[in-house]
């Protein structure tokens, strides 16, 4: 029997939440959904950090962006505003919020790899995708990433998701809780694609926080165990 291949389709997120990493980690293919409209209140250009003194309080690390086409701007077309200044601010905030955590030194090189990218490009999508790829690499993900902007599948929302899954060489689509609310499951059946809900492992702090909270608190090894356990 041919083994089933699982596909996760998700926008590039800046230092994503653990639930997002878990969904991609459970998939064989990650389709980086970079040619859809940017959502200013989403996680594409920002991540939530806990206060180091009072973890019930939070602060957004936001990368300021320019939208060339206004509200209709696609994620791939977003441009960072003053990347060098953004890098300095991001470095200060990440160190302030996570620098005292027990496993900061293990995750710090990966963080600085992304911060360095802020001096090399003004494409938000490139930085956000790289931040996700870097954390997945720490968690020993063996899958492959593809970009929707480089694929041919088109159609309505559910139709395109199903077709992207097929084009990625997969027969199962892994969706999040929110995605399950708007999906037309009949369309996936028509495209001969199975659907499966993603499971999120327990995280450190709020589920809205960056996965950096979990990684720097309990470490890469323990976080990886939690991902494989779901």
């Amino acid at each position: 029997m041919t083994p089933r291949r699982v596909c996760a389709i998700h926008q590039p997120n800046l230092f994503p939440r653990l639930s997002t990493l878990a969904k991609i980690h459970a998939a064989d293919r990650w389709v980086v959904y970079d040619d859809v409209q940017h959502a200013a209140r989403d996680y594409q250009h920002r991540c939530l950090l806990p206060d180091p003194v009072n973890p019930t309080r939070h602060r957004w690390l936001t990368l300021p962006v320019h939208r060339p086409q206004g509200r209709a701007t696609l994620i791939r077309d977003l441009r960072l505003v003053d990347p060098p200044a953004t890098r300095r601010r991001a470095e200060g905030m990440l160190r302030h919020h996570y620098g005292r955590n027990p496993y900061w030194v293990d995750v710090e090189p990966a963080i600085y790899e992304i911060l360095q990218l802020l001096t090399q490009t003004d494409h938000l999508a490139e930085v956000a995708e790289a931040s996700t790829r870097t954390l997945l690499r720490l968690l020993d993900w063996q899958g492959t990433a593809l970009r929707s902007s480089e694929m041919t599948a088109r159609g309505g929302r559910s139709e395109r998701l199903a077709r992207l899954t097929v084009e990625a060489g997969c027969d199962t689509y892994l969706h999040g809780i929110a995605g399950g609310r708007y999906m037309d499951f009949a369309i996936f059946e028509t495209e001969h694609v199975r659907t499966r809900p993603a499971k999120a492992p327990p995280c450190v702090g709020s589920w809205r926080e960056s996965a950096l909270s979990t990684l720097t608190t309990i470490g890469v090894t323990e976080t990886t165990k939690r991902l494989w356990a779901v």
Side-chain angles (χ1 to χ4, degrees), residues 7 9 31 33 148 151 153 160-168:
C7 179
I9 301 174
V31 175
Y33 213 20
S148 60
M151 302 171 74
R160 190 180 185 210
L161 292 175
R163 290 178 175 177
L164 283 170
T165 299
V166 174
E167 189 173 345

Side-chain angles (χ1 to χ4, degrees), residues 73-132:
T73 302
L74 304 181
I75 296 172
R76 68 181 182 190
D77 296 326
L78 290 169
R79 294 295 183 269
L80 292 164
V81 177
D82 195 356
T86 296
R87 183 199 187 284
R88 292 191 296 271
R89 179 173 178 272
E91 179 178 349
M93 287 186 64
L94 290 169
R95 180 173 291 278
H96 173 70
H97 286 268
Y98 293 122
R100 298 178 184 176
N101 287 1
Y103 291 94
W104 163 260
V105 293
D106 295 333
V107 183
E108 183 181 20
I111 291 175
Y112 277 89
E113 181 179 325
I114 302 308
L115 293 176
Q116 184 62 26
L117 189 58
L118 286 169
T119 66
Q120 301 169 6
T121 182
D122 67 346
H123 288 253
L124 180 278
E126 185 177 344
V127 174
E129 178 186 335
S131 75
T132 302

Side-chain angles (χ1 to χ4, degrees), residues 119-179:
T119 66
Q120 301 169 6
T121 182
D122 67 346
H123 288 253
L124 180 278
E126 185 177 344
V127 174
E129 178 186 335
S131 75
T132 302
R133 283 177 179 262
T134 299
L135 297 189
L136 286 169
R137 187 181 70 233
L138 282 180
L139 297 166
D140 198 30
W141 183 58
Q142 302 298 314
T144 303
L146 308 166
R147 292 174 182 162
S148 60
S149 59
E150 298 172 356
M151 302 171 74
T152 62
R154 294 294 181 267
R157 178 178 287 181
S158 291
E159 187 176 38
R160 190 180 185 210
L161 292 175
R163 290 178 175 177
L164 283 170
T165 299
V166 174
E167 189 173 345
C170 301
D171 53 19
T172 303
Y173 172 67
L174 196 62
H175 65 83
I177 296 175

Side-chain angles (χ1 to χ4, degrees), residues 28-59:
D28 302 290
R29 301 283 187 273
W30 170 33
V31 175
V32 185
Y33 213 20
D34 65 342
D35 59 349
V36 292
Q37 185 175 333
H38 167 60
R41 294 184 178 275
D42 212 331
Y43 294 86
Q44 295 138 21
H45 70 305
R46 63 180 190 164
C47 59
L48 194 64
L49 312 180
D51 186 281
V53 177
N54 182 357
T56 64
R57 300 176 60 184
H58 295 84
R59 185 179 179 188

